[in-house]
C-alpha cells in the first residue's frame, strides 16, 4: 500500500477527529441562547441502519461518505461564517468551529488518498444510486451533533472497511 | 426480538441491566439491528400493557407507536417491553422515546438515545487457556459473541482468579479487535480460573459489559 | 498564537529550530491546531514586516495573506513571523507558503509543508526517578507535554548521564505512548542525571524533538 493509505488506517488519527467532534457536540449540548443560526443549513443524513448498510454496494457507501463529507464541510464553513457575523460570537464556539473546518479539510484529504472519491464516482450502476438524503439544521448544537454522528458513523465504518480491503 | 413469553436470554440481559436502576426505562441492542426497551414495576391488579402507550421518533421522521408486551419477572414484578422493527433501529441518529399513561396522557418516561450507544452483546464463547511452551506464560484465546456485529470494534476484559480465592481477582483490558492475550505474571502451581466479557468500543459505540463467558481453569 | 512582543516560549522554540538553518523559512505546530512560520535575518535599518508579503494556500483553495510580525531576537538579528488561523491549520493537506519582497514581488521563500509533519511539542513534565525495590534498577516516569495532542502518538527519548561526566551520555528510545522506562544497566554508587524529550511518531506525524525536560538526578 502507498504510505498515504496508512495514515487514516491508523485508527488513532481518525479517533482524534472523532473526539474533537464529540467535544464540540458536548460543549454545545446544553446551549439554547447564542446557539441558534440565523438561517437553515443543509447537512447530510448521518443515520446508519446496519441491516441496510451491510447490504449496500461499496460504491453507494462511498457516495454516502464522500458526498456527505463535502456537504458537511460546506455546512460547517457556512456555520463558521454565520457565527463570525453574529453579534457576540463566543470564543469557545468559534474555536470549535475553526477546528471543525480544519478537521473536515484533513479528513477530506485523507479519504481522497484512501480512494473514496474514485469509488464514489465509479460504481457499476451509477444510475441506480440513491440520491443523498439531507436535512436542515437551525442551531449550532444540531450542527455539531451531525458532525459528531457523521464521523463516528458512516465515516468510521467506511474507513474501517476500506482499510481492510486495502490490506488484502 | 423477544416473544410475548418470557425468554431466558432476554430475562438474563434485562436482569443484568435492571440492577442499574429499577423503575427506569432501559434499552439495549444486541446486534445493532434490533432494539428492545423495557421497564419494570410492582405488579398491580388490572394494570397491563394496554394502560401505557409507547411511541418513538427517529430525528426527521414521524412519531410511530411501538406495541407493548408484558411478562412477570423472576423477582415477582412485571416487566413491560417493546421491540422496534429493524428498519427503525438506526444508529448515529437521536431516537426519542416516549411512554405515557394511556388513559390520562400523563408522561411516564421520556428519553433520547442513540442505538449505537446502548449495545449489550452476548458473552464471548470458546474460551481456551493453555500453558505456553516456555516461560510459564498462560495463553488465552476466545471467540467474539456469536452473531455479533463489527467484531473489529469489540473490546474485551479478562478476569483472572486464583482458585484458592487468595490474592483476589485481577482484570486485564484487551485492545479492540483482539481475541487473545498472554498472561505472564501468574504464580506457579496454582489453579487459576479465567473468564472474558465483551463490549463495543468507544468512541463510535457505547453500551454495557456483556455477561461473563463460561469460565475455564488451569493449573500453572 | 504568539503576540507581537517576543514570547519567551516562542523564542526558545524558534531558537531550538533556528540552530538548524539560519536564513531559512521554518514552521512548527505545537498542538496541531496552530502553525507559526518564521525566518531570521540580520537587522537592517528601514527593513520591517511591511517589506515582505506572506501568503499561503491549502490545496484546492484560494491563496490567503498572513500578517507578518517582527521582533528582535536574542542574538541581535530580527525575526519575522506569521501565525495561521486555527481553521487553516489542517493536517494531511499540502500547504504552500510564499514570501515575496513587497516592493519588487521578488521571491524570498517558497515551501510546501504538511502541518502534521512539523510538530514541535513542549517538553515532557513531572519526571521522577526512583530505585526499584530489587535488582538495582532505576525506574523513570514522566508525563506527556501539557496540552499535547494524541498522547498515544508521542514517543520519547531518555538521556542518561553519569554525574561525574565519565562514560558520556546514553540515549534510550521509548516506544510511542509509553511514559516510563526501567534502566537496568547502570553502575552502582554513581550519581546519574536523567532528562526526557518528546516528538510525534512517524509515519502519521513528523517534526522535531522537543526541548529536554527538567532534569532529575539520583544516586544508585
Amino acid at each position: 500500500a502507498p504510505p498515504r493509505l496508512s495514515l487514516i488506517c491508523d485508527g488513532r488519527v481518525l479517533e482524534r477527529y472523532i473526539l474533537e467532534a464529540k467535544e464540540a457536540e458536548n460543549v454545545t449540548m446544553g446551549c439554547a441562547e447564542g446557539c441558534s443560526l440565523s438561517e437553515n443549513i443543509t447537512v447530510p443524513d448521518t443515520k446508519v441502519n446496519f441491516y441496510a448498510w451491510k447490504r449496500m454496494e461499496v460504491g453507494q457507501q462511498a457516495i454516502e461518505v464522500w458526498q456527505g463529507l463535502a456537504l458537511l464541510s460546506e455546512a460547517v464553513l457556512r456555520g463558521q461564517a454565520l457565527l463570525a457575523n453574529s453579534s457576540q460570537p463566543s470564543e469557545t464556539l468559534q474555536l470549535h468551529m475553526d477546528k471543525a473546518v480544519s478537521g473536515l479539510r484533513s479528513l477530506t484529504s485523507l479519504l481522497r488518498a484512501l480512494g473514496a472519491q474514485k469509488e464514489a464516482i465509479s460504481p457499476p450502476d451509477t444510475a441506480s444510486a440513491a440520491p443523498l438524503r439531507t436535512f436542515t439544521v437551525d442551531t449550532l448544537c444540531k450542527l455539531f451533533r451531525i458532525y459528531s454522528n457523521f464521523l463516528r458513523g458512516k465515516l468510521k465504518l467506511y474507513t474501517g472497511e476500506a482499510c481492510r480491503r486495502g490490506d488484502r | 426480538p423477544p416473544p410475548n413469553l418470557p425468554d431466558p436470554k432476554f430475562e438474563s440481559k434485562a436482569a443484568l441491566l435492571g440492577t442499574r436502576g429499577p423503575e427506569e426505562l432501559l434499552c439495549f441492542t444486541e446486534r445493532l439491528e434490533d432494539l428492545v426497551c423495557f421497564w419494570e414495576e410492582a405488579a398491580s391488579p388490572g394494570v397491563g400493557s394496554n394502560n401505557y402507550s409507547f411511541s418513538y421518533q427517529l430525528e426527521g421522521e414521524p412519531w410511530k407507536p411501538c406495541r407493548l408486551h408484558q411478562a412477570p419477572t423472576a423477582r415477582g414484578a412485571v416487566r413491560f417491553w417493546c421491540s422496534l422493527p429493524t428498519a427503525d433501529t438506526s444508529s448515529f441518529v437521536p431516537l426519542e422515546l416516549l411512554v405515557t399513561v394511556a388513559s390520562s396522557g400523563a408522561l411516564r418516561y421520556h428519553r433520547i438515545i442513540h442505538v449505537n450507544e446502548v449495545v449489550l452483546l452476548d458473552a464471548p464463547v470458546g474460551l481456551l487457556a493453555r500453558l505456553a511452551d516456555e516461560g510459564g506464560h498462560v495463553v488465552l484465546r476466545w471467540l467474539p459473541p456469536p452473531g455479533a456485529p463489527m467484531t473489529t470494534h469489540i473490546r474485551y476484559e479478562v478476569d483472572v482468579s486464583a482458585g484458592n480465592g487468595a490474592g483476589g481477582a485481577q482484570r486485564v483490558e484487551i485492545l479492540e479487535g483482539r481475541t487473545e492475550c498472554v498472561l505472564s505474571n501468574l504464580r506457579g502451581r496454582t489453579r487459576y480460573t479465567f473468564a472474558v466479557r465483551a463490549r463495543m468500543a468507544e468512541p463510535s459505540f457505547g453500551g454495557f459489559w456483556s455477561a461473563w463467558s463460561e469460565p475455564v481453569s488451569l493449573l500453572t
Side-chain angles (χ1 to χ4, degrees), chain A, chain B:
Chain A
R4 289 255 154 231
L5 183 74
S6 64
L7 296 188
I8 200 166
C9 295
D10 176 345
R12 293 168 301 178
V13 169
L14 183 51
E15 185 169 306
R16 162 164 180 259
Y17 294 108
I18 293 177
L19 293 176
E20 237 171 55
K22 282 196 82 164
E23 200 189 323
E25 184 190 13
N26 289 342
V27 162
T28 51
M29 206 176 275
C31 80
E33 299 296 314
C35 252
S36 71
L37 297 160
S38 53
E39 63 182 61
N40 282 347
I41 299 182
T42 304
V43 292
D45 183 11
T46 59
K47 184 162 77 241
V48 174
N49 184 282
F50 277 92
Y51 181 85
W53 180 263
K54 286 195 301 202
R55 286 160 182 80
M56 204 182 273
E57 296 282 343
V58 171
Q60 181 64 31
Q61 290 181 351
I63 287 176
E64 299 253 332
V65 171
W66 183 254
Q67 294 184 2
L69 190 59
L71 186 57
L72 184 59
S73 302
E74 276 175 44
V76 168
L77 275 171
R78 189 72 200 130
Q80 186 194 34
L82 292 177
L83 187 63
N85 287 337
S86 66
S87 51
Q88 293 167 313
S90 127
E91 273 184 31
T92 313
L93 289 182
Q94 275 187 314
L95 178 62
H96 285 293
M97 197 61 106
D98 289 350
K99 283 162 75 171
V101 166
S102 168
L104 286 166
R105 190 191 289 111
S106 300
L107 289 168
T108 301
S109 177
L110 288 167
L111 273 188
R112 189 186 291 114
L114 186 63
Q117 186 183 23
K118 265 192 210 155
E119 266 183 351
I121 55 175
S122 59
D125 50 350
T126 311
S128 70
L132 193 70
R133 279 175 52 108
T134 61
F135 283 102
T136 60
V137 296
D138 55 4
T139 65
L140 276 179
C141 139
K142 285 184 189 163
L143 180 60
F144 280 137
R145 194 174 61 212
I146 295 278
Y147 171 43
S148 159
N149 272 325
F150 186 84
L151 265 54
R152 295 166 70 197
K154 285 180 181 175
L155 185 72
K156 169 97 176 160
L157 295 175
Y158 171 80
T159 304
E161 286 155 25
C163 291
R164 278 191 290 283
R165 281 198 302 276
D167 263 2
R168 283 208 295 260
Chain B
N4 221 330
L5 287 170
D7 161 19
K9 190 173 140 204
F10 174 52
E11 181 77 34
S12 70
K13 287 207 172 178
L16 198 67
L17 293 188
T19 58
R20 302 174 153 253
E23 293 280 323
E24 240 194 295
L25 178 67
L26 299 169
C27 300
F28 66 88
T29 175
E30 294 183 328
R31 301 181 182 200
L32 295 164
E33 298 178 11
D34 55 284
L35 183 78
V36 57
C37 294
F38 66 94
W39 77 93
E40 293 170 15
E41 58 183 51
S44 65
V47 175
S49 55
N50 290 332
N51 293 74
Y52 297 106
S53 147
F54 189 111
S55 51
Y56 65 94
Q57 185 198 35
L58 279 161
E59 193 172 64
E61 299 190 15
W63 283 93
K64 295 181 190 174
C66 186
R67 197 172 142 234
L68 274 173
H69 303 269
Q70 73 179 98
T73 73
R75 283 165 296 185
V78 58
R79 179 183 304 124
F80 295 98
W81 84 82
C82 106
S83 173
L84 263 64
T86 297
D88 289 337
T89 56
S90 294
S91 291
F92 306 111
V93 65
L95 172 64
E96 201 165 342
L97 308 171
L98 198 63
V99 180
T100 52
V101 179
S103 56
S104 63
L107 183 69
R108 179 76 202 253
Y109 294 111
H110 180 219
R111 272 190 75 183
I112 300 176
I113 64 166
H114 284 73
V115 173
N116 50 297
E117 289 175 357
V118 293
V119 188
L120 176 54
L121 297 168
D122 289 347
V125 296
L127 178 61
L128 286 176
R130 68 175 175 80
L131 279 175
D133 296 338
E134 35 186 74
H137 305 326
V138 169
V139 180
L140 297 177
R141 278 172 202 278
W142 59 90
L143 295 171
M150 323 277 314
T151 52
T152 53
H153 288 272
I154 299 177
R155 63 186 182 93
Y156 299 90
E157 189 175 64
V158 168
D159 181 90
V160 180
S161 323
N164 55 12
Q170 185 192 341
R171 296 278 167 89
V172 183
E173 300 255 340
I174 312 295
L175 291 179
E176 66 189 87
R178 296 286 179 91
T179 53
E180 58 175 27
C181 81
V182 179
L183 301 169
S184 52
N185 52 352
L186 301 182
R187 272 170 288 137
R189 285 176 216 165
T190 308
R191 177 153 293 277
Y192 279 97
T193 302
F194 307 100
V196 60
R197 61 182 185 171
R199 71 185 290 162
M200 295 290 286
E202 297 80 6
S204 287
F205 298 95
F208 317 97
W209 280 113
S210 75
W212 290 102
S213 71
E214 288 293 317
V216 297
S217 71
L218 174 146
L219 185 67
T220 54

